[in-house]
Amino acid sequence: MLVFTLPISLLPGPNNLLSASHSSRYGFKQTLPLISGMVIGWFLLGVTVGYGALFIEENKDVLNLLTYIGVLYIIYLSYQISIAKPINDEGVSDEKLGMGTGIILQVVNGKAFVHLLILMTAFGTVFGTDFVGKMIIALLNVGIKLLGWFGWASFGVALKEIFTDSKSGILINRAFGFSLFCVAIWIVRPEIL
């Protein structure tokens, strides 16, 4: 289970890239509400997928619909990041992403559904098949994911410290926006190829 979860948690994905982008713009501390929402959303999604794995496996149309909605949301976020102007530390309170965005991103994140579906079907009985077993898997998984989100948020802060002028700030925003867009394309690539 750890061999499956750890690499996926550290690779670029919607949550990791959004954590890095947000922290490069607002700092690590201001990114914590966003990451808190990711934790809550991921855990709730994990428990839900744990119980709904059979239904979701039998209804691929539901998974596909959620994937496409998620891809559209990720593309929207990538666009917003790409066009964002670099800012200084003053006057940033209105544009920060918060807990709600972190939770919503999990609900529409097709990659999260697939990850959790594989996790719950392949390793769903490791701690038993009851509610407690699913919660343990979901908690362990969100703990591992949290390492990735904190790591990527720290990476974003490091980029902000290295690139302090407005020109490089624009480049960072565009690079993160483009990276997030590439993740969206990667999520649907089997359907479009």
Side-chain angles (χ1 to χ4, degrees):
M1 186 174 78
L2 293 176
V3 170
F4 170 73
T5 301
L6 190 60
I8 290 174
S9 300
L10 300 177
L11 292 171
N15 290 313
N16 288 345
L17 289 172
L18 192 58
S19 295
S21 173
H22 195 272
S23 67
S24 73
R25 190 166 165 88
Y26 300 106
F28 188 85
K29 186 176 178 182
Q30 298 299 322
T31 303
L32 291 177
L34 175 66
I35 292 174
S36 308
M38 291 175 181
V39 166
I40 292 167
W42 192 275
F43 175 73
L44 293 175
L45 184 63
V47 171
T48 303
V49 169
Y51 279 109
L54 292 174
F55 173 77
I56 292 172
E57 284 177 328
E58 293 172 2
N59 295 286
K60 298 288 186 195
D61 292 338
V62 172
L63 182 59
N64 288 337
L65 176 65
L66 290 171
T67 298
Y68 288 122
I69 291 170
V71 164
L72 290 174
Y73 185 64
I74 292 167
I75 288 171
Y76 166 77
L77 288 174
S78 71
Y79 173 73
Q80 292 299 319
I81 291 167
S82 295
I83 65 167
K85 294 182 177 141
I87 53 174
N88 56 26
D89 290 334
E90 296 135 19
V92 296
S93 61
D94 291 342
E95 297 180 24
K96 287 181 261 183
L97 300 176
M99 189 179 292
T101 301
I103 293 170
I104 290 169
L105 184 58
Q106 306 326 301
V107 174
V108 299
N109 183 350
K111 184 181 174 194
F113 271 95
V114 171
H115 170 87
L116 288 166
L117 185 60
I118 293 168
L119 183 71
M120 291 299 177
T121 54
F123 307 103
T125 59
V126 171
F127 298 104
T129 57
D130 60 353
F131 181 71
V132 175
K134 302 292 186 199
M135 285 189 64
I136 291 171
I137 290 174
L139 281 171
L140 284 173
N141 188 253
V142 81
I144 293 167
K145 298 298 283 181
L146 190 57
L147 293 173
W149 299 331
F150 280 159
W152 279 84
S154 298
F155 175 66
V157 170
L159 281 179
K160 182 179 183 179
E161 291 175 8
I162 293 170
F163 301 103
T164 55
D165 66 5
S166 63
K167 194 177 216 180
S168 60
I170 290 171
L171 291 175
I172 290 171
N173 288 346
R174 289 187 180 152
F176 276 129
F178 180 71
S179 299
L180 196 55
F181 177 78
C182 289
V183 168
I185 298 304
W186 178 81
I187 290 170
V188 295
R189 79 186 180 322
E191 287 82 11
I192 59 175
L193 293 178

